[in-house]
Amino acid sequence: ILTQIGTKNDKRTTIRFASFKMSNPIENRSIRMLLQSMPPKGFVATFATFITAFLICIIIGATGPNVYDTIVLNAWGSACKWPETKFFDELECEGVDLSQNMNSWIGEINNLDRLNQEITLYASLTNNQYLIQGVTKAVQIQLSIAGKDSKNDTWQYILNGDNHERQVVCQEGKPFCESLALASLVFIGHRFYQFNISIINPPTTLADVQFTFSFVNRSYTLFELWFRYVFLLIGVLVLIGFTFRLRNYPWSEWTLEQKWATVLLFALIGYNNPFYPIEILVEGSAPMFVNRLFYATFLVLLLLFWLTIFDGVRHETAEQSFLMFYLPKLAVLGTFWVCGVAVFVWSNMHLADNPAFTTTKDMPGFLAFLGIEIVAICVYLLWMVIVVARGISDAQILPYLSIRIRFFLGFTLAVIIAIIIGILFGFFASQNNAAEFLSFIALLNLYVYVLSFVYLPSSSDTPNIKAGGADRIGMVRLEEDDIIDQPKGVLLFGF
């Protein structure tokens, strides 16, 4: 702005000129990102690198160790002289007939260590009349669990004579009923375990019972630890490099994407969880709580990041009021976070106290928590659809936002679709290998890495520390005054 300088008797007027760049104010007030100057070949190379690294992780996971090892035992069927035996015969079979009320089956498993992480016992009852009828009945199961560290030690009871109800569902035409989860030990504290099981008032159609012990493979535990720390190291290096490139720029000049990329890189450290070995090696609820807390926090921050970018990048020039902009988003996602953490922590704490605990059957309020989470996710999805539609509309009107919104929308949708495909594939065709773990952890890590790369400052953008970034809002100051002859009283106009 030009102003008149001088006294009443002066015939000369000192004028300070200011020149302005005729460009978009939003684009100039923030750092120009690599995303905005990258040629098409750069995008192709970035996506090709992302896809190649992701496919390599899937292949490594698919060829990796099995997640679970299993041991299958029968109450009596496998110990009969004739495999086709349908009814227990003391002369033909060894074992226990659990169709008789309060008969006890004792099973032992040994040579476990803390790398096995957890052990779960399943039971599949058999229906000796499956050809003509199905069975649905609630049965009472009495369960005792004991453990010891060596053969010569005395059994120490972890659970003694616990009675709990399970719903037995046997479909017509299928000899085996639906599998029941009888107990789950979330921490391996002994080398030897003994399970004592009785069925109170069993169904009249009950024949044999098949028991399955499922525990984590030691090789898989080591595999998981190695890759967690590989991604943790890469994430720390990316965080250091990203913040180092932005160190000379004032925080006020960082774009919304750059600020949130920094937040996600810090959250990614928690998602990879440097404290994960403590959960395996130390018994207690605290390590499990930390692991679930890190996981839920990263997930909620990622959801908040998606919503904030689509909603906030359109209003980057305006001051974002925390009360109006962030608080409603935090209320919705905070509800989801609280419910998720509460269910995880509550269920794991109960499992630590009672291995026969089941969340859906024994936890009061589980359905209430689940309902609140569903409502919060529905509100979030509706909100996301609205802000994405507005973002696409604004991108067509404001070209300087086009590349930022189009890239973010396309890349994020591709990652979300990959996650949904992975979930559906794991649900309908569960694979007992490390592919599921490695693909998910790799996908989320690579996603944040790529965002951090494209949100780096462009090489054509250099910080002006002395000027305090004033030239970014379009003003260039001259160091010297231009002195010109000017009659007094002349009005000077600014641009």
Side-chain angles (χ1 to χ4, degrees):
I1 298 175
L2 305 183
T3 56
Q4 181 174 338
I5 308 295
T7 62
K8 182 176 180 180
N9 297 323
D10 286 341
K11 292 185 179 181
R12 301 173 65 196
T13 303
T14 300
I15 304 172
R16 186 182 299 274
F17 291 91
S19 61
F20 289 80
K21 299 176 184 178
M22 300 302 293
S23 59
N24 188 276
I26 299 178
E27 194 173 23
N28 283 334
R29 71 172 294 183
S30 300
I31 303 170
R32 184 173 176 81
M33 297 179 292
L34 185 62
L35 170 69
Q36 296 166 295
S37 60
M38 186 183 296
K41 291 182 179 179
F43 285 104
V44 174
T46 301
F47 281 117
T49 303
F50 170 79
I51 294 173
T52 301
F54 181 55
L55 290 177
I56 290 174
C57 290
I58 293 178
I59 294 172
I60 293 174
T63 57
N66 292 335
V67 179
Y68 294 102
D69 287 336
T70 58
I71 296 176
V72 179
L73 302 173
N74 286 71
W76 57 265
S78 60
C80 295
K81 294 181 180 180
W82 308 105
E84 63 272 12
T85 302
K86 295 183 179 180
F87 298 95
F88 182 80
D89 188 340
E90 293 182 355
L91 299 178
E92 300 289 338
C93 303
E94 296 179 0
V96 179
D97 182 13
L98 290 178
S99 64
Q100 300 299 315
N101 189 33
M102 295 303 295
N103 276 359
S104 296
W105 176 85
I106 298 176
E108 294 185 11
I109 183 170
N110 52 36
N111 293 326
L112 297 175
D113 58 36
R114 293 181 180 179
L115 291 180
N116 293 117
Q117 297 193 43
E118 61 182 32
I119 180 171
T120 304
L121 174 62
Y122 299 94
S124 296
L125 282 65
T126 56
N127 178 15
N128 58 24
Q129 298 183 14
Y130 68 92
L131 293 176
I132 58 176
Q133 68 173 349
V135 176
T136 300
K137 181 180 179 181
V139 297
Q140 291 287 331
I141 297 177
Q142 187 177 86
L143 174 65
S144 296
I145 303 175
K148 63 181 182 179
D149 296 325
S150 66
K151 292 182 179 180
N152 298 326
D153 290 345
T154 304
W155 290 107
Q156 299 177 4
Y157 278 100
I158 301 170
L159 193 67
N160 190 5
D162 178 79
N163 291 333
H164 54 90
E165 184 180 281
R166 293 292 185 268
Q167 188 77 11
V168 176
V169 178
C170 309
Q171 297 181 9
E172 184 178 346
K174 294 183 178 180
F176 284 97
C177 306
E178 294 182 4
S179 181
L180 304 175
L182 299 185
S184 181
L185 295 168
V186 294
F187 181 81
I188 303 297
H190 302 281
R191 290 191 62 200
F192 299 84
Y193 283 94
Q194 182 185 84
F195 295 80
N196 189 321
I197 299 165
S198 302
I199 300 178
I200 303 173
N201 297 323
T204 56
T205 59
L206 175 64
D208 193 14
V209 180
Q210 185 180 83
F211 296 98
T212 302
F213 293 97
S214 177
F215 48 92
V216 178
N217 186 354
R218 295 185 184 95
S219 299
Y220 170 77
T221 299
L222 296 175
F223 179 90
E224 182 180 2
L225 288 173
W226 273 109
F227 275 95
R228 277 184 181 273
Y229 277 99
V230 166
F231 283 115
L232 176 65
L233 177 60
I234 297 174
V236 171
L237 294 176
V238 172
L239 174 61
I240 293 173
F242 187 76
T243 53
F244 183 81
R245 284 289 304 273
L246 287 164
R247 70 191 186 283
N248 291 328
Y249 296 89
W251 174 261
S252 59
E253 293 183 9
W254 289 27
T255 64
L256 190 64
E257 294 96 326
Q258 289 168 337
K259 294 176 181 178
W260 269 99
T262 306
V263 173
L264 287 182
L265 285 170
F266 277 106
L268 197 62
I269 295 176
Y271 175 71
N272 294 321
N273 195 0
F275 308 111
Y276 184 70
I278 299 177
E279 182 178 350
I280 299 173
L281 300 175
V282 179
E283 185 175 6
S285 302
M288 291 186 293
F289 171 75
V290 171
N291 187 30
R292 301 304 186 272
L293 185 68
F294 283 159
Y295 179 83
T297 300
F298 174 77
L299 177 61
V300 168
L301 284 175
L302 187 63
L303 296 175
L304 182 60
F305 165 68
W306 292 341
L307 189 61
T308 301
I309 292 300
F310 282 118
D311 195 23
V313 74
R314 300 177 297 113
H315 309 292
E316 203 169 7
T317 52
E319 289 293 333
Q320 303 292 359
S321 169
F322 176 84
L323 187 63
M324 299 299 296
F325 184 77
Y326 282 106
L327 189 59
K329 298 178 177 65
L330 290 174
V332 174
L333 290 173
T335 302
F336 177 77
W337 181 86
V338 169
C339 291
V341 171
V343 170
F344 271 125
V345 173
W346 189 262
S347 61
N348 280 318
M349 289 178 63
H350 275 73
L351 278 173
D353 295 333
N354 183 0
F357 172 82
T358 58
T359 304
T360 55
K361 188 71 178 178
D362 301 334
M363 177 180 174
F366 173 78
L367 294 178
F369 276 113
L370 183 62
I372 293 173
E373 285 187 311
I374 293 174
V375 171
I377 287 298
C378 290
V379 172
Y380 174 83
L381 292 175
L382 179 61
W383 199 342
M384 180 64 75
V385 170
I386 294 174
V387 296
V388 168
R390 289 180 177 177
I392 295 174
S393 176
D394 289 348
Q396 296 174 349
I397 301 173
L398 305 173
Y400 60 88
L401 289 180
S402 178
I403 185 63
R404 295 167 68 179
I405 292 180
R406 282 189 296 152
F407 170 83
F408 184 73
L409 177 61
F411 186 43
T412 300
L413 281 179
V415 171
I416 293 175
I417 291 172
I419 292 175
I420 294 174
I421 292 174
I423 293 174
L424 293 177
F425 182 78
F427 181 79
F428 291 107
S430 180
Q431 302 293 322
N432 186 24
N433 55 47
E436 184 176 352
F437 156 74
L438 192 55
S439 60
F440 276 103
I441 194 173
L443 182 64
L444 294 176
N445 275 273
L446 292 172
Y447 174 71
V448 178
Y449 298 161
V450 170
L451 291 180
S452 302
F453 171 70
V454 299
Y455 292 155
L456 285 171
S458 173
S459 57
S460 62
D461 191 294
T462 56
N464 190 338
I465 302 176
K466 292 182 179 180
D471 56 331
R472 295 185 181 278
I473 58 173
M475 185 171 67
V476 178
R477 300 181 184 273
L478 299 182
E479 296 297 333
E480 298 180 357
D481 294 339
D482 288 328
I483 309 299
I484 62 172
D485 291 335
Q486 182 82 359
K488 66 177 180 179
V490 176
L491 295 179
L492 306 178
F493 298 93
F495 300 91

